[in-house]
Amino acid sequence: MAYLSDFVKSTLSRVVLGKEVPSFAYNVGDRVDSFDSTIWSLHKGTKKEDNSPVSILCFDCVRQREKLPLARNAFKKFRTIRHPDLIKYIDGVETETHIYIVTDAVTPLQDHLRRDLDPNLIRWGLYKVANVLKFLTVDASFIHGNIRTSSIFITRSGEWKVGGFEVLSSLKEDQPAILTFAGLIPDANRYAPPEVRKKSWNVVKEYELWSTDTWHYACLIYEVYNGTFTTPEQLAQPGNIPAEMAPFYKNLLRPDPKARPSVGDFLDKGLQAKGFFQNDLIQVVSFLENFSVKEPLQRETFLRKLDMQIERFPQEFCRYKVLPELIHALEYGSGGAKVLPPIVKIGMGLDEQEYDTMIGNALVKMFASTDRSIRLSLLENLSGFIERINKKVVNDKIFPSMALGFTDTAPIIREWTVKSVLLVISKLSDKVINYDLLKYLGKLQTDEEPGIRTNTVICLGKIAKHLNDSTKAKILVPAFTRSLRDPFAHARVASLMALNATSDSYDKADIASRIIPCVSLTLVDTEKIVRVQALKTLETFTKRIEKLIESMPDSAIVDTSGESPNGSSRSTPASTPASETWAGWAVSSITKKLVTGDMQPQAVGSPRLGNSTPSPASTPVPSTNNGMSLSGQSNGLQIATEGRSGDGLSVNRYSSALAAIEADEPIHGGGGGGWGNEDDDLFADEGFEPMETFEPSTSSSMRSTTTTTTKTTVSRPATNAKSSMTLGGGAKPSARLGFGATDDGAGTDQ
């Protein structure tokens, strides 16, 4: 009945492992079935507080009562001995039915040996086991007594950790567990050294402390490379053990315990030049574990080498072993700027949650650093990690610190800050882009360094698509056209290229009045690279504006037909198309400038001039205030106007002027009546230079100029007793017209 009672207790406790201890802060999860060759069962577990993963070793006190001393000795040693290469103890509890030992999340080495394991990781693991055995046997005067594959565990970084403390003891203890209970360990006789098999475990105290662990370490090496052995005789054949390690391995198996070297000696042999423990991975780990005590030059050399080698190492090793060490060095200043590139490379393989936890927070903190070398390194490596950081963190924490680089006194910081804008622009809010960022770029456009000015223009051109429409209209044209006057040729080229790239952002008015005139000035730039780019940019905008003006009307003048003020019918002469005469465009432009009222044509003739006798000038008649009516005749050229009330003047000159031009006849007349006020520039709206003028000599009476062919007089009959004047009577300056004709300022004698 007692046996049945214990069996029921054990069964119920396995169903609710850990529930018998309400204060136990961990959930006991599924059992790892492959771990079955020790007195412990291995379970996955989680911490109740934060669900962080752990491993839990569970001993059934009811079913394995005879082995309880082994479990209690292990529990005691877990709590009292600490070493980086020993499995890390977190918590533990003993109840009537179970002993629970909580450790870091680990997996059995046996599981990894069933699949291909990286050779570098194997050597690193053997190095770690040798290192901890040297500590236990030499420094701490302990005998482990249970080194085998079932006593080794692997963390997620690939690092080997030593467990199996069932008989770990010191011979100075009253009852050393290795002398009393070592025979209770499963398969104890198969792993026992020859002297123990001949006598008993009590013989251990007659030899050096390391003699037993040296034999067990050799067994571990054999199992790692060749698998499980069944008889001690198999150990004599190295099998797959590396050739450079095999001679030293055989020394570990010497039958005489006094002749066996210590594991420490084996470790020293492996660390010699070209030794079997001399590989890149072990060297990296050894250096990182002592990083803070190394010289600055040594650190820099190591980090440069690590950056080149990091991609050759196993990913788990890089993520969970190398990365934490590098981040620690970065945060506490021992690593400097050179530590950042390998951190970024390793971070590329992390998932989002791991990235935020392991890297993201550290990088954000580093942006606030006052060390220029670290800030520069962050900017240089920004492309490797900025996409992994969420927008809120970028706007609230990274950009405010990053923006300090726009005004930094070091040019290289300012330059890299400008370049980095292109990487963070997609993470920034509209407010930051259209206000804060443009404010900094505007200042940098006048930077003393030409390279920074050039990069600023390039940057603005590339981020233009992220600006809102109102900001584009106000910022882009002034910014780019200002850079067209930059003394640095490449800045001017960059401005032209930026205009070209953002051509769709401008309306026809800006293109015609602000962009094309400025671009055209660079067509004659002193540098060929500027001229070539200017031609490309001008071609782009020419095509652009051609497309924009396709929908515009042919003319803005409204043609009205009806009765004239005096009741007579108005008639509009047919205009000559511009394509029919070389001067059509000029006449059209001038006509639009001059016509300010209704037009009433009368009989117009245009005979050839040159043979007619000049007619005397008409007598001027003062005009009335209400209007005027002008009529004149000179060798067939007539321009007639009708008077009307008010101050306006209604003139129809298009047909007469065009007829004279097509007949190749010079047109004479005063500048005041025929071409508008002398201060008007007829082509000012077209972007041309003002016309060249000169002042003629004046006298009490103005005499008209006679050409070689004719003298044309335009006069007005005295239709009103108080109003009479000639069009050419005023003394006006002559002008050289844009299309080639000349206004001579000829008038009639008064």
Side-chain angles (χ1 to χ4, degrees), residues 277-288 291 296-313 317-318 322 326 335 337-343 345-346:
F277 284 151
Q278 284 293 342
N279 62 33
D280 292 336
L281 189 145
I282 294 177
Q283 290 177 352
V284 166
V285 173
S286 300
F287 196 100
L288 284 174
F291 192 85
L297 182 59
Q298 291 177 313
R299 296 176 192 167
E300 184 175 346
T301 304
F302 166 77
L303 291 172
R304 190 183 305 111
K305 183 179 179 181
L306 177 63
D307 187 39
M308 295 184 294
Q309 295 178 336
I310 198 69
E311 296 176 350
R312 302 205 308 262
F313 296 148
F317 168 76
C318 294
V322 177
L326 294 179
K338 298 295 183 181
V339 77
L340 193 60
I343 288 178
K345 285 185 177 180
I346 297 172

Side-chain angles (χ1 to χ4, degrees), residues 75 124 134 220 314 329 422 439 469 495 520 563 575 613 684 693:
F75 189 24
W124 179 41
K134 179 181 179 181
L220 175 66
L422 302 179
K439 177 180 66 175
D469 293 340
S495 182
S520 64
E563 297 293 329
S575 61
T613 303
T693 62

Side-chain angles (χ1 to χ4, degrees), residues 607-651:
R608 294 286 298 177
L609 302 179
N611 298 327
S612 301
T613 303
S615 61
S618 302
T619 303
V621 180
S623 64
T624 64
N625 293 331
N626 296 330
M628 60 184 176
S629 176
L630 290 80
S631 64
Q633 181 175 2
S634 176
N635 295 335
L637 176 62
Q638 285 189 334
I639 300 178
T641 63
E642 65 173 359
R644 67 179 183 181
S645 60
D647 297 330
L649 177 64
S650 176
V651 183

Side-chain angles (χ1 to χ4, degrees), residues 473-538:
K474 291 186 297 184
I475 297 297
L476 295 185
V477 175
F480 294 148
T481 54
R482 178 168 65 176
S483 294
L484 290 177
R485 301 187 298 273
D486 195 294
F488 188 51
H490 293 283
R492 301 197 295 274
V493 172
S495 182
L496 290 168
M497 296 176 68
L499 283 168
N500 202 8
T502 58
S503 59
D504 293 337
S505 302
Y506 313 109
D507 58 25
K508 56 182 179 292
D510 281 341
I511 295 175
S513 61
R514 302 171 70 186
I515 297 177
I516 290 181
C518 292
V519 172
S520 64
L521 295 177
T522 60
L523 293 173
V524 291
D525 195 277
T526 56
E527 300 295 330
K528 182 178 180 180
I529 56 174
V530 180
R531 298 194 298 270
V532 171
Q533 185 58 47
L535 287 171
K536 296 178 181 178
T537 303
L538 192 61

